[in-house]
């Protein structure tokens, strides 16, 4: 069985690296950062570091003991980044995105417009496994702690899948597609909701 625990700041570098590797061919990330197609991963790693840091404040990042897989969650009511946090993130985000900032903001705005407000829910912001160890159950393992909490607490969960091929994986974990979001001049995302599952 895969050993899973809450991530801490000490895990940040390894988790960001693994998530960047997992998203190297992600359609939405390639839309935002076309240079990823040539194997340039530093910017993607920087974005994953920002997202993971945000969730670490809520102690809601779960990782394998080797840091090769991680689930970055936002607790109910915490999925939208607040003004103070946006200010903290702005210098690093602008430095990473540069001329691609308008594209990234357009994508973020389109996704946030479709994000349900009620009922309160857990938001799976990022889930990824280093490609070198995919298919070993690590992704399912890092999902499990929060999904089990959701079932015990009667809380729903929500995510946006940027790859259609990942939809069946999430369906096996109780999610269902509620809508397909087609980004302007870009790829599609599959919006997925999960009601708490009976024991």
């Amino acid at each position: 069985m895969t050993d899973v625990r809450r991530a801490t700041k000490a895990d940040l570098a390894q988790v960001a690296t693994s998530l960047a590797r997992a998203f190297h061919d992600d359609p939405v990330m390639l839309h935002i950062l076309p240079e990823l197609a040539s194997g340039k991963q530093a910017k993607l790693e920087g974005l994953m570091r920002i997202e993971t840091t945000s969730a670490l404040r809520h102690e809601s990042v779960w990782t394998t003991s080797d840091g090769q897989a991680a689930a970055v969650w936002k607790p109910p009511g915490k999925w939208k980044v607040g003004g103070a946090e946006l200010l903290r993130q702005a210098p690093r985000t602008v430095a990473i995105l540069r001329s691609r900032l308008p594209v990234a903001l357009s994508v973020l705005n389109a996704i946030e417009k479709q994000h349900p407000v009620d009922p309160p829910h857990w938001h799976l912001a990022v889930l990824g496994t280093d490609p070198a160890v995919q298919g070993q159950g690590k992704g399912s393992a890092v999902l499990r702690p929060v999904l089990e909490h959701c079932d015990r607490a009667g809380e729903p969960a929500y995510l946006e899948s940027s790859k259609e091929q990942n939809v069946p994986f999430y369906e096996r974990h109780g999610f269902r597609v509620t809508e397909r979001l087609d980004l302007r001049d870009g790829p599609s995302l599959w919006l997925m909701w999960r009601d708490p599952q009976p024991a």
Side-chain angles (χ1 to χ4, degrees):
M1 187 173 178
T2 303
D3 182 35
V4 173
R5 57 178 173 76
R6 283 186 205 271
T8 67
K9 287 182 181 178
D11 299 302
L12 181 59
Q14 178 61 54
V15 165
T17 297
S18 294
L19 291 175
R21 289 176 181 160
F23 278 76
H24 75 283
D25 63 348
D26 179 80
V28 173
M29 290 295 104
L30 285 165
H31 176 61
I32 294 171
L33 296 171
E35 62 265 40
L36 294 177
S38 58
K40 298 177 181 176
Q41 293 287 291
K43 289 185 176 183
L44 181 54
E45 193 167 321
L47 292 177
M48 292 300 174
R49 182 180 283 265
I50 291 169
E51 189 68 50
T52 303
T53 298
S54 175
L56 281 172
R57 292 190 178 93
H58 306 295
E59 299 183 341
S60 56
V61 179
W62 292 84
T63 185
T64 52
S65 57
D66 55 16
Q68 292 181 316
V72 179
W73 290 92
K74 298 292 181 72
K78 305 292 184 183
W79 62 267
K80 195 163 188 174
V81 180
E85 188 166 1
L86 279 174
L87 286 173
R88 279 195 302 269
Q89 294 176 355
R92 287 176 294 161
T93 303
V94 171
I96 291 167
L97 294 171
R98 297 185 180 271
S99 65
R100 302 300 293 176
L101 183 61
V103 175
L105 291 175
S106 174
V107 168
L108 182 62
N109 185 52
I111 292 172
E112 285 199 350
K113 276 185 178 178
Q114 299 304 314
H115 195 126
V117 176
D118 291 311
H121 55 275
W122 285 82
H123 177 224
L124 180 61
V126 186
L127 171 69
T129 302
D130 189 309
V133 294
Q134 284 178 1
Q136 299 178 15
K138 291 177 184 274
S140 294
V142 293
L143 272 183
R144 197 167 294 120
V146 170
L147 294 185
E148 288 179 350
H149 165 82
C150 287
D151 294 341
R152 288 193 306 270
E155 296 173 343
Y158 174 78
L159 63 86
E160 303 97 358
S161 178
S162 48
K163 282 187 178 178
E164 187 174 15
Q165 67 212 51
N166 290 341
V167 167
F169 168 81
Y170 290 119
E171 288 176 335
R172 289 195 296 274
H173 289 281
F175 288 89
R176 59 181 172 81
V177 175
T178 58
E179 186 179 349
R180 190 177 100 169
L181 172 61
D182 298 317
L183 295 175
R184 183 179 178 185
D185 300 321
S188 300
L189 294 99
W190 286 262
L191 313 184
M192 304 188 72
W193 183 265
R194 181 186 187 273
D195 289 316
Q197 309 289 298

